[in-house]
Amino acid sequence: MSGAPAPVVILISGRGSNLQAILDETAGAPSLARGPRLGPIGETRAGRLPIEIRAVISNNPEAEGLQHARAAGVPTEVIDHRAYSERAQFDAALMQAIDRHSPRLVILAGFMRILGETFIRHYAGRLINIHPSLLPAFKGLNTHVRALAAGTAQHGASVHFVTNDLDGGPVIVQASVPVRTGDTADTLAARVLHEEHRILPLAIRWFVEGRLSIRNGQVLLDGEIRPEQGLVAVPDQRTEAIK
Ligand code: GRF
């Protein structure tokens, strides 16, 4: 798909490293997601991510990610959830703020609030999230600690469409990271995060290029129904090198 860059809105709550990965790729920095190692899932294209980030919105006024957006010249807004006594009111304010920008895609990039049904229905099919586990394993919080406690051999990250099933929407793409002897939650998180930074921009690219959609709860890429666990990114040697 060519033409004008697709308008998107990104929601964050904290550090904003996933946001930074998107900003970098939008600015034309070499993509982590490119290169021959992603060949099997069909990603060979080069070039900047064809999006226009109309706004970065945080529920947390202290979110470090807001600085990344500002540094890149992207407008920021704060909708502080603590100013609303009910979740539905917060969701409504957030929807209003988002809709002013008419986004084609809304990206949850480390957004840590649970969103209600009305919100999710309103953005059905154009709302994606990055989650630090190989879904459906380890939905919810503290995924790295839980993965280590469970003694799992493979951990990783998933990008999925958001539905009312918390962290349970159809998976678009996953990247897995072998758990090493001696891993702590921090060392494991660092390698998983590197993979997050590869697969989130990749899924965004697919979406804005018109290649990715959801139909009847299934993920379609290039018109083909994709496996329930999502496409699996080929391991990246650079991730293995992270200490
Ligand atoms: C990431 O691990 C993301 O998957 C999770 O929260 C973390 C946010 O990190 N939902 P960052 O703010 O993008 O650095």
Side-chain angles (χ1 to χ4, degrees), residues 7-47:
V8 307
V9 168
I10 303 178
L11 305 189
I12 62 165
S13 296
R15 178 180 53 187
S17 69
N18 278 287
L19 166 65
Q20 188 63 57
I22 301 168
L23 288 167
D24 289 347
E25 209 161 319
T26 306
S31 166
L32 282 175
R34 284 201 296 276
R37 297 189 68 79
L38 260 96
I41 54 171
E43 189 50 46
T44 51
R45 291 170 195 222

Side-chain angles (χ1 to χ4, degrees), residues 176-180 191 194-195 235-243:
S176 68
V177 167
V179 178
R180 292 180 189 153
R191 298 202 306 287
H194 184 80
E195 292 296 329
D236 182 354
Q237 278 166 346
R238 292 165 297 187
T239 305
E240 281 312 295
I242 295 173
K243 296 280 179 266

